[in-house]
């Protein structure tokens, strides 16, 4: 596990974008695993800026997003598909048929999850997986539990996650209760895992996940076992890490 300290959110975003950009330069047909949420917005903005300057070419890149709300079709304003279009895909030269997000419009859980695992296999797995972390230690929507769930699966979101995601919806009732998420296996099999985290509110979960025991009760803790795991945090988020 490599821990990189960033001065602030902007610095964290630039450092993360640098690593992603290096990956794409080294392997123009790289498979990038991507995340939504507030944390990666600055990273995407930085990548877009460099793309517009002519420094990064995404024409050969494939992206596999971590998760999607079950029941939200692509066109829905709160879908993760839409989020990715607005913050990233619309502004770069990625091919539409190289973009993968779990199919939230498919209500058949088994089929939707199997299909996503087949896609991950077909593209040959993930070269670099970008992650945020939830307040309860979730990665993707792998919520705390008794076991690590390996494949893509449907989850019922925890109260804490619904609470955290409320900010993107008009009210609590509008937050979907279920989501499809990539499982722990595809994340752990990624060539490189890059987690970004900022803010004092994440300091405690960062300490529990990366300075404590590996347990499915804190899903992110498994990343301690990944051979190429990089954590980039701002001062506040890393304030409880003793280093
Ligand atoms: C989103 C995702 C989630 C977020 C996490 C942190 O695709 O997979 O695990 O990374 O909930 O969200 P933010 O960045 O909004 O704090």
């Amino acid at each position: 596990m490599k821990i990189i300290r960033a001065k602030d959110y902007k610095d964290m975003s630039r450092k993360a974008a640098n690593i992603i950009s290096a990956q794409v330069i080294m392997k123009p047909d790289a498979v990038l695993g991507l995340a939504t949420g507030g944390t990666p917005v600055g990273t995407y903005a930085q990548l877009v800026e460099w793309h517009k300057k002519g420094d990064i070419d995404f024409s050969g890149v494939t992206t596999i997003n971590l998760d999607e709300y079950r029941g939200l079709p692509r066109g829905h304003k709160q879908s993760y598909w839409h989020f990715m279009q607005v913050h990233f895909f619309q502004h770069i030269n990625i091919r539409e048929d190289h973009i993968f997000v779990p199919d939230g419009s498919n209500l058949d859980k088994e089929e939707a999850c199997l299909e996503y695992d087949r896609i991950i296999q077909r593209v040959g797995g993930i070269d670099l997986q970008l992650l945020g972390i939830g307040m309860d230690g979730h990665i993707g929507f792998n919520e705390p539990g008794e076991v690590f769930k390996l494949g893509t699966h449907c989850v019922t979101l925890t109260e804490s996650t619904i609470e955290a995601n409320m900010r993107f919806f008009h009210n609590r009732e509008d937050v979907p209760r279920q989501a499809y998420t990539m499982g722990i296996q595809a994340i752990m099999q990624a060539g490189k895992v890059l987690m970004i985290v900022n803010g004092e509110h994440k300091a405690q979960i960062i300490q529990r996940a990366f300075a404590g025991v590996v347990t499915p009760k804190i899903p992110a803790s498994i990343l301690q076992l990944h051979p190429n795991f990089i954590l980039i945090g701002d001062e506040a988020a890393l304030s409880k890490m003793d280093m």
Side-chain angles (χ1 to χ4, degrees):
M1 174 165 81
K2 183 165 182 56
I3 301 179
I4 299 176
R5 279 184 185 273
K7 284 197 291 285
D8 50 26
Y9 179 78
K10 196 158 196 275
D11 188 32
M12 174 202 79
S13 304
R14 277 177 74 87
K15 284 181 161 60
N18 258 307
I19 292 170
I20 295 168
S21 157
Q23 173 70 57
V24 174
I25 291 167
M26 298 292 284
K27 190 176 177 206
D29 61 347
V31 177
L32 302 178
L34 298 179
T36 59
T39 317
V41 169
T43 304
Y44 295 143
Q46 184 63 82
L47 288 169
V48 167
E49 192 186 316
W50 288 337
H51 168 70
K52 289 197 166 143
K53 276 193 189 155
D55 289 342
I56 320 173
D57 174 15
F58 290 95
S59 61
V61 167
T62 295
T63 60
I64 301 273
N65 258 81
L66 281 166
D67 38 24
E68 180 61 281
Y69 290 116
R70 176 173 178 256
L72 296 197
R74 285 180 173 190
H76 194 287
K77 286 264 185 305
Q78 305 302 341
S79 73
Y80 285 169
W81 173 275
H82 183 78
F83 176 100
M84 291 304 299
Q85 291 295 336
V86 169
H87 291 284
F88 197 32
F89 299 147
Q90 263 174 18
H91 313 286
I92 59 171
N93 64 334
I94 189 165
R95 284 172 49 168
E96 174 105 15
D97 62 341
H98 281 190
I99 297 172
F100 298 98
V101 178
D103 182 4
S105 69
N106 187 353
L107 296 180
D108 183 334
K109 300 177 194 179
E110 222 164 283
E111 189 186 81
C113 295
L114 268 175
E115 174 59 13
Y116 209 56
D117 280 337
R118 271 191 221 114
I119 290 170
I120 297 169
Q121 257 197 343
R122 201 172 69 222
V123 301
I126 295 159
D127 291 304
L128 186 156
Q129 176 65 54
L130 178 66
L131 294 176
I133 185 171
M135 296 293 289
D136 57 3
H138 70 229
I139 46 176
F141 272 135
N142 289 275
E143 297 280 22
E146 294 306 313
V147 292
F148 291 107
K149 295 228 173 99
L150 299 181
T152 300
H153 57 282
C154 179
V155 282
T156 297
L157 304 182
T158 62
E159 286 306 310
S160 121
T161 301
I162 291 169
E163 200 71 35
N165 289 3
M166 240 174 73
R167 65 200 147 120
F168 299 112
F169 291 82
H170 288 307
N171 54 55
R172 201 173 206 287
E173 283 60 53
D174 292 341
V175 186
R177 284 349 196 212
Q178 289 191 316
Y180 295 132
T181 182
M182 187 191 286
I184 293 295
Q185 189 168 28
I187 296 172
M188 287 301 282
Q189 284 176 346
K192 187 176 275 163
V193 177
L194 173 60
M195 176 178 279
I196 48 178
V197 61
N198 70 292
E200 204 188 330
H201 62 299
K202 296 274 177 79
Q204 193 179 3
I205 191 61
I206 287 294
Q207 182 190 39
R208 289 177 60 220
F210 303 120
V213 292
V214 173
T215 164
K217 293 190 166 68
I218 310 168
S221 65
I222 192 137
L223 297 169
Q224 292 183 44
L225 306 178
H226 192 282
N228 203 350
F229 171 51
I230 305 168
L231 171 66
I232 305 180
D234 70 353
E235 293 290 346
L238 296 182
S239 60
K240 291 189 194 303
M241 289 297 276
D242 193 9
M243 18 180 287

